[in-house]
Amino acid sequence: MANLMRTCHIIAIIVFIGFGFAYAQQESADSISKCLPETLYIQPDVNPPVKGRISPEIDLSERKIALVLSGGGARGLSQIGVLEILEENNINPDLIVGVSIGAIVGAFYAAGYDAQEIEKLAMEIDWDSFMKDSPRRTKLFLTQRMATEKFFLHLRFSGYKLRMPEGISEGQQLFGKVAQLLSPANYIADSDFGNFKIPLKIVTTDLKNGEPYIIEKGNLVQALRASAAIPLVLSPVEMDSMLLVDGGLIYPIPVEIAREENPDFIISVDATADKICNKNLNNVINILDQTTNIMVEERKNFERKNSDFLIRPNLDDIDSYTFKNIPQIIDRGKTTAISIIDSLKKQLEIKENNYSGEKYKVGAISGSGAEFLDISVGDSIGQMEIIRKLNDIYRTAEYELPHVEMIIYRDSISLNVEIDHQPNFKGIIFEDSVSFDRSILANLIPQGNNNIANLDSLDIGLARIEDYYRNQDYTLAHIESATFSGGRLRVCIEEGIIYEIDIRGNKRTKDWVVKSFVPLNAGDIFTDRSLNEALSNLHATGLFSNVFPEIRRTSQGVVLVINVIEKPYIGMRAGLRYDLINNIEGALEIGDENILGLNWRGMIGGYIGERRWNAYTRLESDRVWRSYIHARADAYGRSYLYDIWEGDSLVRSDWINRYGLSVSLGQQIKRLGTVFLEMNTEKVAIDRNNSIVYDKSMHKLTLRSIVDTFDDRQFPRRGKYHHGYITFSKDILGGEFSFNKFYTSLQSYWTWIDNLTVHPYIAAGYCSGEPPSYERFELGNDEDFWGYRQGQNRGNSVFEGSIDIRLNVLDPVYIVTGTSFGRTWRKKDKLHLEDIVWGWGAKLGVSTIIGPVQFGWGMNTEKFEEISLSIGYDFE
């Protein structure tokens, strides 16, 4: 036992001596290390130059700011006002996360538009097209309008099944404009939203699994369209295997998405509506909006609390789907942002702003740039102060990246300073061929040769070169790369030359058909004007529910990808009409609206009522091949009651039955009108009291011109309409009649103030030879004549005019009053101006979904008086 105790004591002594020796060794090492100098290399913290520039940016931010922009429909435009105030106070986000309207606003800001530019665009964009997706009337060919405007219901079929729309609108008009404005930025960023001026994330929801889907790359416009696809309002967007809709269904204020990027500070703007409803729940849109607000209220409350700083503009009286008071909405955002900006700036202050760190006494200073630092031997200075001095020097852009080697001894430091001027500027070298005179481009650089180069000045010149290109409509032109070495600025300019146009998504429509509506070809310079025209043209065809352009870069040049989503090609149209003369009439047309993918329409249709009917088979194309030639062929049969009057008495009514073939070719005059050459052959029979009293053939050759620039089909406010024709019907053509007809008319709508529209009209016609009675002119040929009923005043020649004044103050209810004048003459009548008939009257009109409703009264100097009522479009 004693031996065991002795052994333990010996072991303890050895362990104690070992620990003591080790401690002594560590103390000795620490003491020696404290005597050795420490070397630090100090230089400004810079970010690489942005693409196409050469001057790096000093990274002064010590905090990463994420900006979250919510949905909210029209209310979301208030976020533009918030951006303006943040911008004025130099609060610049490092990341933008947006959803729905917030994604749209955020995309413009991320792509490089400043807040004032976005505000200007918001005023110019037709936001009502968000809900009304039909192309503007003047964007359609005249022949398209003639073929479709008499119908109020348009249905599509997939196979034998009715294809119901997935939303009220496809949003093509609105997002076509967005595509024109943002596609160039997406191209320059190489379709990577992280390459924008500010990185961008767009939040959507996959309707198939109910999960969020964050888009950071790809087709920017398609991503924005998906994020804004409010169910039942805007149709969903198919992307890969997903069906994407509004991201606000899960993340109405996507703070959690921003939080995943680990920012230091999150500013969120909440423009969403509360679940406490201040509007009437009297339509499906308001009900849908309120339902969504109730469903996501708990999520919104969580995201509000999860923000580091929340901005909520006062929008209680603003409806999500009313885009009428955009300036007021934006001002609400400004007002709210101004009221909280001081509080926000305080929270963003960095506590260490004035911290200089530990100070040292300068024992020695050397190097090529020592004099620039304004530091002397014996001064006390810290590392942070040296960094600030270097930043101030580098910010002048006349020096190469400065650095200081700081050697720290026990009590002092020595500094070795390296600060060198940039070399003298010796000129610019364009590494590739350019379309413009190189000397013109070189003169845009505000930097004199053989002077010390200033990188900021050279970057200003590079920006001017890009502006010069864009002023020449080179929309995609940008500085692909720029380097400054040996005093020479080397620049590579990508001018945006089209290498290929690629059509995707078309299953039936031929590629060449789609391309025929795109005013660009391989080798052309891309312009946003051309892209806008292409989108407008394709939308106007009626063949596609959506068109998403995408501009891709390849080693060979620009590839313009046109992604289309086709509508079902089997269509049906229906119309309905009533008037006091013809009673109720219905129209129906069904057929293939895209035969063999060639953009030809093959339709069977007609209309029927008590006093007239018409049935036809028609083959028609608004454009034959790539030309602007219209072609149409009809086989038809029609019948109508032809009233014969003597004074104010109806003598009899004969049925005029016409069966025939008609072929026409027309030259489209842009989208203003068409000049037609028509050939017609028909059999005409007159049925009087169920007995055929007349059966003859007639052949006609007609040259017709129609120009129609009315801005609206029902109650236009602006535009002109001209209709003129010359018809030849000669017996040498094989028919039984020989006559010529000439007719011309012109009418206009002028609106000087919103509530008053003036409508003048004038027409004249002359018929020579021996025309049948049903080929005669009548007063009210194109426009109604006050006081006359249909067919009451006919003749071989006609002259008429009118001027109406319409009040628009109750839109869509209109009040019309006016006067008419005119006369018809039979073949042997002499023309006397004193025989002119004058008429006057008034009318009440209402614009409706099935067409105009018009109730009127009129009378004329022939003592005729008429009360009229009509509902819907005329089918003739």
Side-chain angles (χ1 to χ4, degrees), residues 207-492:
L207 202 57
K208 292 184 177 180
N209 59 23
E211 296 293 326
Y213 182 71
I214 314 305
I215 307 177
E216 303 175 65
K217 294 183 179 181
N219 189 328
L220 174 62
V221 178
Q222 189 175 24
L224 294 175
R225 170 67 176 77
S227 186
I230 305 166
L232 301 182
V233 177
L234 277 182
S235 60
V237 173
E238 292 185 27
M239 187 180 295
D240 299 328
S241 60
M242 298 173 292
L243 193 62
L244 301 181
V245 294
D246 185 2
L249 296 178
I250 298 178
Y251 291 116
I253 315 168
V255 176
E256 291 173 75
I257 304 302
R259 189 68 71 187
E260 292 174 359
E261 297 299 312
N262 298 314
D264 299 295
F265 199 87
I266 296 179
I267 302 171
S268 60
V269 186
D270 177 12
T272 61
D274 287 326
K275 70 176 181 179
I276 300 174
C277 187
N278 296 317
K279 54 182 177 285
N280 294 323
L281 298 177
N282 56 3
N283 64 67
V284 66
I285 298 298
N286 285 347
I287 292 173
L288 176 64
D289 187 37
Q290 178 64 2
T291 302
T292 305
N293 291 333
I294 293 172
M295 292 171 59
V296 299
E297 185 66 17
E298 184 176 347
R299 170 69 69 175
K300 285 194 290 187
N301 287 333
F302 173 79
E303 290 174 330
R304 289 164 183 156
K305 294 175 183 177
N306 199 21
S307 302
D308 295 309
F309 197 90
L310 178 66
I311 302 174
R312 293 191 70 187
N314 180 11
L315 303 166
D316 289 344
D317 58 334
I318 304 295
D319 187 81
S320 298
Y321 295 97
T322 302
F323 291 87
K324 291 184 178 179
N325 298 314
I326 293 176
Q328 178 189 2
I329 295 172
I330 295 174
D331 283 341
R332 295 284 184 90
K334 290 181 186 178
T335 301
T336 300
I338 290 171
S339 69
I340 54 83
I341 195 65
D342 289 338
S343 174
L344 174 58
K345 289 166 75 173
K346 285 180 182 179
Q347 291 197 36
L348 288 173
E349 286 179 358
I350 302 172
K351 294 181 180 180
E352 299 81 11
N353 188 45
N354 297 316
Y355 177 67
S356 296
E358 186 177 354
K359 291 190 175 184
Y360 304 92
K361 185 176 181 180
V362 178
I365 183 168
S366 62
S368 61
E371 69 275 14
F372 295 112
L373 277 186
D374 191 26
I375 298 174
S376 302
V377 174
D379 290 347
S380 292
I381 194 168
Q383 179 181 345
M384 292 298 297
E385 190 173 348
I386 293 174
I387 289 177
R388 291 193 189 99
K389 287 179 177 290
L390 293 178
N391 285 344
D392 291 340
I393 291 170
Y394 193 57
R395 196 179 284 115
T396 67
E398 293 186 355
Y399 300 91
E400 295 181 347
L401 186 65
H403 66 272
V404 172
E405 182 184 46
M406 185 171 76
I407 303 174
I408 306 173
Y409 300 96
R410 184 184 296 272
D411 302 328
S412 63
I413 58 173
S414 68
L415 302 176
N416 181 24
V417 183
E418 294 294 335
I419 302 177
D420 296 319
H421 278 106
Q422 295 286 352
N424 287 356
F425 179 64
K426 299 177 182 178
I428 182 171
I429 298 174
F430 295 100
E431 296 189 336
D432 290 324
S433 60
V434 293
S435 298
F436 302 107
D437 189 325
R438 294 176 182 232
S439 63
I440 294 176
L441 301 180
N443 287 335
L444 296 174
I445 303 289
Q447 169 76 59
N449 289 343
N450 299 318
N451 294 324
I452 295 174
N454 183 293
L455 300 188
D456 285 349
S457 177
L458 296 179
D459 276 349
I460 289 172
L462 294 175
R464 287 180 179 177
I465 290 174
E466 289 181 334
D467 289 341
Y468 181 83
Y469 268 89
R470 287 166 190 164
N471 288 337
Q472 308 301 318
D473 271 345
Y474 283 56
T475 309
L476 298 182
H478 65 283
I479 308 296
E480 177 63 21
S481 64
T483 57
F484 184 66
S485 177
R488 297 196 179 275
L489 178 62
R490 297 180 179 274
V491 176
C492 177

Side-chain angles (χ1 to χ4, degrees), residues 761-875:
Y761 162 75
I762 192 166
Y766 174 75
C767 187
S768 65
E770 298 295 333
S773 59
Y774 49 81
E775 287 286 340
R776 292 174 180 167
F777 299 108
E778 64 179 72
L779 283 183
N781 199 60
D782 277 343
E783 288 289 300
D784 291 338
F785 194 98
W786 297 110
Y788 276 127
R789 178 176 160 166
Q790 176 183 312
Q792 274 191 282
N793 194 320
R794 295 193 180 100
N796 286 51
S797 302
V798 67
F799 170 76
E800 63 177 321
S802 66
I803 184 165
D804 295 337
I805 296 176
R806 188 178 74 217
L807 297 178
N808 308 314
V809 66
L810 301 176
D811 180 11
V813 178
Y814 304 93
I815 300 172
V816 182
T817 185
T819 183
S820 303
F821 56 90
R823 172 72 194 273
T824 63
W825 293 268
R826 295 185 181 273
K827 188 174 182 179
K828 296 181 180 180
D829 290 346
K830 293 184 178 180
L831 306 182
H832 298 291
L833 293 179
E834 60 267 23
D835 295 330
I836 293 293
V837 178
W838 290 84
W840 56 91
K843 188 183 298 182
L844 180 69
V846 183
S847 178
T848 74
I849 190 172
I850 66 171
V853 175
Q854 299 185 86
F855 175 75
W857 165 89
M859 68 177 302
N860 56 53
T861 53
E862 293 291 297
K863 306 303 182 183
F864 290 108
E865 184 176 2
E866 182 198 18
I867 294 177
S868 61
L869 172 65
S870 65
I871 302 172
Y873 299 112
D874 196 344
F875 301 137

Side-chain angles (χ1 to χ4, degrees), residues 684-731:
V684 183
I686 296 180
D687 184 343
R688 184 177 301 160
N689 298 323
N690 296 319
S691 177
I692 301 299
V693 297
Y694 177 101
D695 188 358
K696 294 187 178 183
S697 61
M698 181 166 58
H699 308 306
K700 294 189 292 185
L701 180 66
T702 301
L703 180 64
R704 188 184 308 274
S705 171
I706 300 177
V707 174
D708 180 356
T709 63
F710 287 168
D711 61 352
D712 183 72
R713 173 72 170 90
Q714 297 195 38
F715 295 95
R717 297 199 179 193
R718 291 174 180 81
K720 294 179 173 58
Y721 183 89
H722 160 73
H723 180 204
Y725 62 83
I726 301 174
T727 294
F728 305 96
S729 179
K730 298 293 184 182
D731 48 14

Side-chain angles (χ1 to χ4, degrees), residues 671-695:
R671 294 176 187 268
L672 304 176
T674 310
V675 177
F676 302 90
L677 179 63
E678 304 170 354
M679 293 168 284
N680 177 269
T681 179
E682 63 181 13
K683 237 356 186 176
V684 183
I686 296 180
D687 184 343
R688 184 177 301 160
N689 298 323
N690 296 319
S691 177
I692 301 299
V693 297
Y694 177 101
D695 188 358

